[in-house]
Amino acid sequence: MKEKIILDTDIGSDIDDSFALAYLLHASSAQLLGVTTVTGQARQRAQLCRILIGIAGRQVPVYAGEDHPLDNQEEHQPVCQMAGIAEEYPADAPRSQESAVDFLL
């Protein structure tokens, strides 16, 4: 029986979340139900997820979360992994109009 998983990620600043997404996309023991993105530039992070999911040949819904933390701290890292990848691999998957919070609920 596959483990049902929702990945909530701040992908794009460091490589760890990209590895986690790649693992979940290929793990035979996991059923990736969806991906939600958080922290600064959540929509750009969602775009990166859609690109990586497309490269893997999969279709998994991606939902952008809030750009700012609830405690109003503005500290966040840039989405540096997007440099160049968006031009080489455009995201073909449609953007969801539903928010990450609505999806999680």
Side-chain angles (χ1 to χ4, degrees):
M1 183 179 199
K2 292 186 176 192
E3 188 74 29
K4 294 180 181 182
I5 297 173
I6 295 173
L7 177 64
D8 187 47
T9 178
D10 66 346
I11 196 167
S13 303
D14 295 312
I15 197 69
D16 58 334
D17 292 276
S18 296
F19 276 117
L21 177 58
Y23 173 79
L24 291 173
L25 288 169
H26 296 340
S28 60
S29 61
Q31 179 184 357
L32 187 56
L33 301 176
V35 178
T36 59
T37 59
V38 296
T39 199
Q41 299 171 308
R43 284 175 182 70
Q44 191 175 19
R45 293 174 194 280
Q47 169 91 357
L48 178 58
C49 288
R50 284 190 290 278
I51 290 169
L52 295 175
I53 290 167
I55 290 170
R58 297 281 308 276
Q59 292 184 354
V60 177
V62 179
Y63 303 90
E66 297 297 320
D67 280 328
H68 305 288
L70 295 176
D71 63 6
N72 292 322
Q73 293 183 5
E74 293 296 322
E75 183 178 332
H76 56 79
Q77 297 175 340
V79 188
C80 55
Q81 291 176 5
M82 279 296 287
I85 196 168
E87 293 175 15
E88 185 72 26
Y89 299 99
D92 294 329
R95 293 182 180 174
S96 173
Q97 299 303 314
E98 186 177 17
S99 74
V101 173
D102 291 334
F103 171 70
L104 289 171
L105 291 174

